[in-house]
Amino acid sequence: MEEEQEGTNNDLNNFLASTDIPVIFLDRLLRVKRYTPAISKIIKLISSDVEHQSIDMSQQLLDADLVADAQSVLENLAPVKKEIRINNNWYIRTALPDRTHDSRIKGVIVIYNNITHLKRAEEKLQKSEEPFRLLVANVKDYAIFTLDPEGRVETWNAGAEHMKGYKEIEIIGEYFSRFYTPEDIAAHKPEKELKTAVETGRTDEEGWRVRKDGSSFWASVLITALRDDNGVLRGFAKITRDITERKKKEKELEEKNAELERFAYTVSHDLKSPLVTVKTFLGYLEQDMRNANDSRIEQDMGYIRTAADKMAHLLDELLEMSRIGRMGNPPVNVSFSKIVEDALNAVAGSIAENGVEVKLDNAAISLYGDSQRLVEIWQNLIENAVKYIGDQKSPRIEVGAETRGEETVFFVCDNGIGIDPRYKEKIFGLFEKLDPKSEGTGLGLALIKRIIATYHGTIWVESDGLGKGACFRFTLPEAIIKLTTGENT
Amino acid sequence: MKGEPIVILLVEDDPAHAEIVRRNVETSRIANRLEHVADGQAALDYLYHRNGFSDPSVAPRPGIILLDLRLPKVDGLEVLKIVKSDPDLARIPVVILTTSAAEIDVAKAYDYHANSYLVKPVEFTKFVELMDALGYYWLAWNQKPY
């Protein structure tokens, strides 16, 4: 029995001497009983004859809390485990009661477990991940979030909250299909997208997405399947960007392009037409001069002259057309009555010639815009009205404005020949004319429509049919709204 | 060539171009009668004997229609569509005579069963040649549908 005990003691001694784990045995008075050589990292035990020294007497104790913790172990008979830092090393220090066979407490065993390398690795990991974590958390322009393999939201960043309107607390754990439109949900689009991501690694697409408040936005979405090192699906990363603005711009550009194409088409047609006339009648002219056919010569030159005039007129109007929206005068406050006055002055000749009576209503309105362009609207409409006044015995044009709902609607009405209801849309097209014999190029109303569009307004015509006169009505919201804001500032 | 003159219905809004066609048709050796209307609505009124065209002697059935595309009131393609979808009119050869060489116009015209598509040449001699060839082909060589 004693031999056995001695053997155990020897084993323990050998172990204590050889281990590089700092361990110290203290008695109930916290005096040093035994220790491992490695304890020197914690306590500088100077001489070899240190046994029975009280630990709190040591000036070289680097573990400041040790005395208090050891005492607490003795008092509470419970181990105390603590993470402590000594110099540049981290330890888990465990202090536990040292019990005899018969469960008496003979002291405290203190073991220092060096975890420095673990701590370093952890710190390093944290440091390397931090920029990414902060990046994801702080990015506002992209919704960056993750889904679990079943498609439930797992993480949520500020951008996602900003874009979709859900707070982190209310969205975590929710199935991600709620970001889709009802039509997409019905078509199982969310599931299909995850499926593609699982199969090919990623899905990207553009489409409508729905915010918490029900409003929608055009999104560019990228879903990436997240797999661990063993290839097991851990979930999905979803990056969403709101590109509604870009989409809008693209659409505007497409419309502009289409308009330009139509424009080029009509221009080439309408310029080619008089060119055919000029060239052909030059041919006839040569023939007729050879034959001295005087009446035909006269006729040929007439056609050539008309065609050339038409081209000149067309080019002038095209130039004018291209200036709208591109070149303008700075916006000013100008009264409606002043605009109409200027417009009437510009067409005074034909008004007098046709004996047209002009009546002006409700002229107290003020407008804000490019006054020259605004004048052109009324000038063209009044010119038009005079041109199509017909054989009316008492020709009359009425110019004014009225309120319809919240809108101010301007009008130029006449009691002239009127318009066949079938052509109410067509007349606003480029180069469209109803009367082939009329002198215009068919650009006048298209021009007006364009000016009105720059003020976000619309124009339409009302007529009870041929012989019943016509009323051109239009709105100029921008020219009116800007006035009120202009007054406030 | 003898017998009844062939009636040509010319649908052309440009008076100068109508005059060119008229001069060419006049010098043609094929007996014909040119009827000119200046817009798409008038063309339909002529063909359906409406609004001033009710008298068959004023608006005889044409043996051929020369149709411009960009027309006031009713567009040339619309006139073509109506003519070709009406069993009573569909057999009348319709020759498109226009300044437009735009692919879309050509394609649409054939889609609506135009019998021929001719682009007005800018050169005088070519225009005259074209009108000559058109007269021979459609009025002399071509087998009439009835």
Side-chain angles (χ1 to χ4, degrees):
Chain A
M1 181 75 188
E2 243 172 52
E3 214 171 277
E4 198 178 304
Q5 178 128 25
E6 198 179 319
T8 313
N9 258 334
N10 277 341
D11 285 349
L12 187 61
N13 285 339
N14 284 340
F15 168 73
L16 291 175
S18 64
T19 182
D20 57 358
I21 299 173
V23 181
I24 189 164
F25 291 78
L26 304 172
D27 67 11
R28 292 168 61 105
L29 295 170
L30 302 185
R31 288 177 303 206
V32 178
K33 276 164 62 191
R34 274 178 181 184
Y35 51 88
T36 61
I39 200 70
S40 63
K41 288 174 196 157
I42 318 291
I43 310 164
K44 300 273 181 255
L45 299 166
I46 303 154
S47 83
S48 57
D49 184 26
V50 291
E51 287 178 25
H52 312 299
Q53 260 186 29
S54 172
I55 193 78
D56 59 350
M57 304 305 264
S58 169
Q59 296 297 308
Q60 299 284 338
L61 180 63
L62 298 173
D63 179 358
D65 296 337
L66 178 58
V67 175
D69 289 340
Q71 242 142 21
S72 136
V73 170
L74 289 175
E75 277 161 32
N76 304 317
L77 303 178
V80 173
K81 209 168 188 173
K82 225 180 208 179
E83 200 176 279
I84 58 165
R85 190 178 177 180
I86 294 168
N87 293 329
N88 280 325
N89 283 294
W90 286 93
Y91 300 90
I92 300 258
R93 185 245 282 144
T94 315
L96 39 121
D98 186 5
R99 291 170 201 269
T100 59
H101 295 298
D102 47 356
S103 282
R104 281 187 304 111
I105 305 296
K106 57 177 184 178
V108 183
I109 310 170
V110 187
I111 306 156
Y112 292 87
N113 220 325
N114 194 326
I115 54 158
T116 309
H117 60 289
L118 270 177
K119 205 77 185 167
R120 290 267 151 77
E122 199 178 288
E123 264 172 15
K124 212 168 145 191
L125 194 67
Q126 227 171 35
K127 251 185 205 154
S128 70
E129 277 186 342
E130 191 171 41
F132 294 106
R133 199 179 50 76
L134 291 177
L135 175 80
V136 170
N138 291 298
V139 162
K140 281 256 163 56
D141 299 322
Y142 291 80
I144 304 174
F145 56 100
T146 56
L147 306 175
D148 68 14
E150 277 73 51
R152 286 180 298 254
V153 176
E154 220 171 33
T155 67
W156 196 247
N157 80 334
E161 176 179 334
H162 181 72
M163 192 179 300
K164 298 179 189 271
Y166 295 98
K167 293 211 178 302
E168 188 173 358
I169 191 158
E170 57 188 347
I171 199 67
I172 298 286
E174 295 294 333
Y175 190 56
F176 83 117
S177 69
R178 64 170 57 212
F179 308 133
Y180 289 74
T181 61
E183 300 81 54
D184 283 350
I185 294 171
H188 303 290
K189 192 166 166 191
E191 291 82 3
K192 281 179 191 160
E193 289 190 349
L194 288 194
K195 193 163 169 269
T196 312
V198 169
E199 283 163 4
T200 67
R202 67 201 291 279
T203 322
D204 64 288
E205 69 123 12
E206 284 185 11
W208 289 110
R209 290 294 184 277
V210 183
R211 294 191 188 93
K212 187 188 174 188
D213 64 10
S215 62
S216 52
F217 62 100
W218 187 262
S220 154
V221 181
L222 172 66
I223 304 177
T224 309
L226 300 177
R227 291 181 187 279
D228 64 17
D229 293 342
N230 301 318
V232 177
L233 182 72
R234 300 301 292 266
F236 303 92
K238 218 176 161 203
I239 301 175
T240 306
R241 198 153 45 116
D242 181 348
I243 53 164
T244 313
E245 270 308 300
R246 199 176 80 191
K247 185 79 188 165
K248 217 172 100 190
K249 289 258 153 55
E250 272 172 19
K251 211 171 153 226
E252 275 173 18
L253 202 64
E254 262 169 40
E255 275 165 14
K256 277 260 178 331
N257 266 337
E259 192 191 315
L260 200 66
E261 225 166 87
R262 272 199 307 277
F263 194 68
Y265 163 76
T266 25
V267 167
S268 68
H269 176 273
D270 281 59
L271 277 177
K272 199 176 158 196
S273 217
L275 195 63
V276 168
T277 305
V278 169
K279 292 271 271 188
T280 309
F281 280 97
L282 275 174
Y284 281 127
L285 189 61
E286 274 169 13
Q287 270 185 2
D288 296 336
M289 282 170 82
R290 270 201 303 274
N291 302 335
N293 188 340
D294 285 348
S295 66
R296 279 271 296 250
I297 290 171
E298 191 77 19
Q299 214 186 13
D300 298 341
M301 299 218 307
Y303 281 117
I304 292 168
R305 199 177 300 116
T306 309
D309 286 351
K310 195 171 159 189
M311 285 175 93
H313 193 180
L314 194 68
L315 288 173
D316 281 349
E317 288 201 358
L318 280 177
L319 192 64
E320 185 64 20
M321 191 91 170
S322 78
R323 279 191 181 129
I324 298 168
R326 187 166 55 85
M327 277 200 267
N329 306 301
V332 289
N333 284 323
V334 56
S335 73
F336 177 39
S337 57
K338 171 85 173 91
I339 288 173
V340 176
E341 192 189 314
D342 286 357
L344 287 172
N345 283 338
V347 292
S350 55
I351 290 176
E353 204 177 295
N354 289 276
V356 180
E357 177 201 339
V358 179
K359 193 176 161 233
L360 178 61
D361 287 342
N362 201 3
I365 298 168
S366 292
L367 291 168
Y368 181 78
D370 180 338
S371 71
Q372 216 170 305
R373 292 268 174 264
L374 291 171
V375 168
E376 274 175 56
I377 300 174
W378 277 273
Q379 185 185 327
N380 270 294
L381 285 176
I382 295 168
E383 231 170 4
N384 227 40
V386 173
K387 201 191 282 177
Y388 298 105
I389 206 76
D391 307 328
Q392 184 56 245
K393 282 201 181 65
S394 49
R396 204 176 64 245
I397 296 172
E398 210 173 316
V399 180
E402 61 199 6
T403 308
R404 284 192 183 181
E406 304 220 320
E407 262 183 333
T408 303
V409 178
F410 298 93
F411 61 83
V412 174
C413 295
D414 63 58
N415 59 351
I417 60 172
I419 289 165
D420 188 321
R422 282 175 295 181
Y423 312 130
K424 278 180 179 176
E425 299 294 328
K426 196 170 158 136
I427 52 168
F428 295 104
L430 273 179
F431 305 104
E432 294 289 1
K433 314 184 280 184
L434 292 184
D435 179 6
K437 290 186 284 296
S438 91
E439 291 158 15
T441 52
L443 270 173
L445 286 174
L447 195 89
I448 294 172
K449 192 179 172 185
R450 242 178 117 144
I451 299 173
I452 288 171
T454 63
Y455 293 99
H456 293 174
T458 50
I459 180 164
W460 65 97
V461 65
E462 291 169 5
S463 173
D464 290 335
L466 287 173
K468 304 274 175 62
C471 257
F472 283 88
R473 293 181 196 273
F474 57 98
T475 58
L476 293 167
E478 292 273 289
I480 290 169
I481 289 164
K482 281 199 177 147
L483 173 74
T484 53
T485 54
E487 276 179 348
N488 291 339
T489 49
Chain B
M1 295 290 145
K2 52 181 183 171
E4 285 290 296
I6 296 161
V7 174
I8 302 167
L9 175 62
L10 171 67
V11 191
E12 171 62 77
D13 67 322
D14 186 326
H17 291 190
E19 173 67 10
I20 297 168
V21 174
R22 197 185 60 77
R23 286 186 184 184
N24 277 283
V25 164
E26 260 174 20
T27 55
S28 160
R29 282 153 289 179
I30 300 149
N32 61 63
R33 170 177 166 185
L34 184 74
E35 293 294 335
H36 173 218
V37 290
D39 64 67
Q41 188 57 50
L44 293 173
D45 287 347
Y46 179 105
L47 291 167
Y48 287 103
H49 304 291
R50 296 181 304 219
N51 301 329
F53 293 102
S54 50
D55 184 351
S57 67
V58 171
R61 184 183 172 90
I64 187 169
I65 300 170
L66 298 184
L67 183 63
D68 195 4
L69 287 187
R70 283 188 59 84
L71 292 170
K73 296 183 185 174
V74 178
D75 195 66
L77 284 172
E78 186 63 25
V79 173
L80 175 65
K81 206 160 90 179
I82 292 169
V83 167
K84 289 302 182 186
S85 52
D86 182 339
D88 286 340
L89 301 173
R91 285 182 188 160
I92 302 173
V94 178
V95 173
I96 305 297
L97 185 61
T98 176
T99 46
S100 168
E103 282 166 45
I104 178 110
D105 285 338
V106 179
K108 273 193 178 160
Y110 281 118
D111 284 350
Y112 296 152
H113 309 295
N115 297 78
S116 184
Y117 192 107
L118 301 173
V119 178
K120 294 171 187 166
V122 178
E123 293 302 320
F124 167 65
T125 49
K126 289 212 174 114
F127 207 146
V128 172
E129 259 174 52
L130 174 80
M131 291 307 297
D132 232 29
L134 185 143
Y136 268 103
Y137 183 87
W138 285 105
L139 306 183
W141 288 109
N142 192 51
Q143 182 67 50
K144 310 296 175 294
Y146 43 86

